[in-house]
Amino acid sequence: MNPRDVNNTTVVTPPHTESEKAGEATPSFATTTPPAPRRREERPLPASVMTPPPPPPPPHFDDYKSIIGQAQIDALRFLAKDLKGKSIKMVNSTAVGGGVAEMLNRLVPLLSELEVPTHWDVITGGNDFFEVTKAFHNALQGSSYELTKAAQEIFLMYNEQNRGRMRFDEELVVIHDPQPVGLIRSRHTSSAKWVWRCHIDLSNPDAKVWEFLRPYVEQFDAAIFSSQSFARQLPIPQYLFYPCIDPLSEKNKDLPDSFVQKVCDEFGIDRKRPIVTQVSRFDRLKDPVGVVQAYKLAKKYVDCQLVLAGGGASDDPEGAAVLQEVKEAAGNDPDIILLDLPPWCALEINAIQRASTIVIQKSLKEGFGLTVTEALWKGKPTIGGAVGGIPNQIIHKLTGVLVHSVEGCAFQIRYLLTHPEFAHRIGVSGREHVKENFLMTTNVKRWLLLFRILSQTSSAIRP
């Protein structure tokens, strides 16, 4: 498959003169002189960037044998044996963009292959609805928000519209995140078990938004969270499910080095020099501006390039504004490469991660951070913000390194670039950690076990 160009903006700025804050240790390695400023020519974008490629055929269970072994595949088929013919409905707010859609795109066909028919529905809504739900998302992760009556009415109106057009004939209904939580009002019309799967960090939610949503959550048969610290006081059972990646997906499968090189050439990334990368939506909680600041501090001591590869999701209206903020922070530095990617560029993301020397996910809030999982799976030394579900993936100095500040991130960039043996060691450990805990096959196993538990539980015990 030929690499596809994506809309990219290259921006650069002189080295930052701000000193690192006190309290951060200063490494003893020698200072290097950054390369002289260069002028980068604009690259024409081919028409292929506007056309999504045909979707690849979904993998089958036997395709995972070389990764997890035949015994694990046999165990999954055994767990599914008593569930054959029972169906599942998954409901979320977007078909493309973001980790939830990526996981469902792989989970649904795998469950169906095990003869547990799984259907996936996406709710619809206007811009006003998704502006409200984005605000709810941020508020549940701790941001300040004034919950108005109008916002509540918009949220409930669209949930009612979706409830009116959807049927819930399956034995298990799974509602992902807050956007469709109002669909629980249909539970009286079906005999299904209902599960709320929350992918965001609920450890410190805005009190008013949570109190508005909590009565709906309490009507479910169970709730699932991505980290132990996200659990809330609820009268229903709660379960811990780690999100996952598919090692055979376009974003994670092995790639020939020739393809990786072509992608780097198209985007102007120099593989002869260290490459520091963050892949994420252009979202303030992913702190792309902080990544630019950390890079500038590190660049005073070590030569490197920064790649910020991101895009948007259909339920996130803030992406364009955040991208503009990142461009302003980057200024004129020719070694900062901003890639505003369409959602179908999984192969390009894969290639960029594989070309990277270091991968960063400096989130300020994070439900889990599948981009961390992706980087660890590729054996890359990874720097992550010590928030949300990231510490479940990055065990500090064993499978990666955790940071709490711009200055700390800059220090770790410098350290990893000047200590390649340590960087390699944590990269190897990170891949093994993903293999044991965060692959799609493990996620399938958890869903099968939960479905079996709920199928055997009488609704009479519900509070």
Side-chain angles (χ1 to χ4, degrees), residues 14-308:
H16 204 289
T17 59
E18 180 183 355
S19 62
E20 294 182 69
K21 293 183 179 179
E24 295 285 348
T26 302
S28 59
F29 42 83
T31 299
T32 62
T33 303
R38 300 174 288 112
R39 181 179 296 276
R40 186 185 298 276
E41 295 181 1
E42 290 295 325
R43 299 169 181 270
L45 300 177
S48 62
V49 67
M50 306 306 297
T51 305
H60 298 286
F61 269 104
D62 288 339
D63 298 330
Y64 295 91
K65 181 178 178 179
S66 62
I67 299 172
I68 64 172
Q70 185 64 48
Q72 291 294 325
I73 293 173
D74 292 342
L76 291 171
R77 292 194 169 115
F78 176 80
L79 286 173
K81 186 176 180 180
D82 293 340
L83 297 172
K84 286 184 178 180
K86 295 184 177 181
S87 57
I88 302 174
K89 181 190 289 292
M90 300 279 181
V91 184
N92 79 318
S93 64
T94 177
V96 295
V100 178
E102 287 187 12
M103 285 190 289
L104 292 179
N105 190 51
R106 313 302 283 193
L107 178 65
V108 169
L110 288 176
L111 286 170
S112 297
E113 185 181 340
L114 291 172
E115 299 182 59
V116 183
T118 305
H119 313 119
W120 176 14
D121 277 347
V122 177
I123 61 170
T124 59
N127 289 337
D128 52 348
F129 174 66
F130 289 118
E131 287 174 0
V132 167
T133 58
K134 177 62 177 179
F136 279 14
H137 180 281
N138 291 342
L140 290 172
Q141 295 200 136
S143 298
S144 177
Y145 177 65
E146 183 62 36
L147 179 62
T148 64
K149 185 68 172 177
Q152 296 176 49
E153 291 173 351
I154 289 170
F155 180 85
L156 294 176
M157 178 187 70
Y158 282 104
N159 267 266
E160 282 299 297
Q161 288 182 7
N162 283 282
R163 195 168 73 88
R165 70 173 180 83
M166 296 172 67
R167 294 180 59 86
F168 301 95
D169 299 326
E170 295 80 2
E171 282 81 7
L172 177 64
V173 176
V174 183
I175 303 299
H176 291 262
D177 284 333
Q179 296 94 327
V181 74
L183 299 181
I184 189 62
R185 288 180 170 180
S186 287
R187 73 163 297 130
H188 68 278
T189 68
S190 74
S191 59
K193 295 291 185 178
W194 288 65
V195 174
W196 187 54
R197 174 61 172 106
C198 180
H199 297 270
I200 62 179
D201 181 348
L202 270 186
S203 57
N204 185 34
D206 177 89
K208 290 183 178 179
V209 174
W210 174 238
E211 286 305 306
F212 170 65
L213 296 174
R214 184 165 59 87
Y216 299 99
V217 174
E218 291 178 345
Q219 297 177 53
F220 285 80
D221 293 285
I224 301 174
F225 297 99
S226 298
S227 176
Q228 302 90 327
S229 63
F230 300 168
R232 309 301 301 165
Q233 291 220 343
L234 294 169
I236 59 176
Q238 300 178 60
Y239 298 89
L240 173 64
F241 273 34
Y242 293 131
C244 61
I245 61 168
D246 188 339
L248 300 180
S249 70
E250 299 289 89
K251 191 178 283 188
N252 297 299
K253 68 181 184 180
D254 290 338
L255 295 175
D257 189 70
S258 59
F259 180 80
V260 174
Q261 185 64 55
K262 284 183 179 181
V263 170
C264 289
D265 290 344
E266 292 290 343
F267 293 151
I269 301 169
D270 183 1
R271 295 185 72 190
K272 296 178 181 178
R273 299 168 56 215
I275 302 164
V276 179
T277 298
Q278 175 159 302
V279 175
S280 66
R281 296 193 313 273
F282 289 106
D283 182 320
R284 293 184 183 91
L285 294 181
K286 309 295 184 182
D287 200 21
V289 171
V291 174
V292 172
Q293 294 168 342
Y295 152 83
K296 289 183 177 182
L297 289 174
K299 186 67 176 289
K300 295 191 294 183
Y301 301 92
V302 288
D303 177 36
C304 57
Q305 306 156 85
L306 175 64
V307 178
L308 288 173

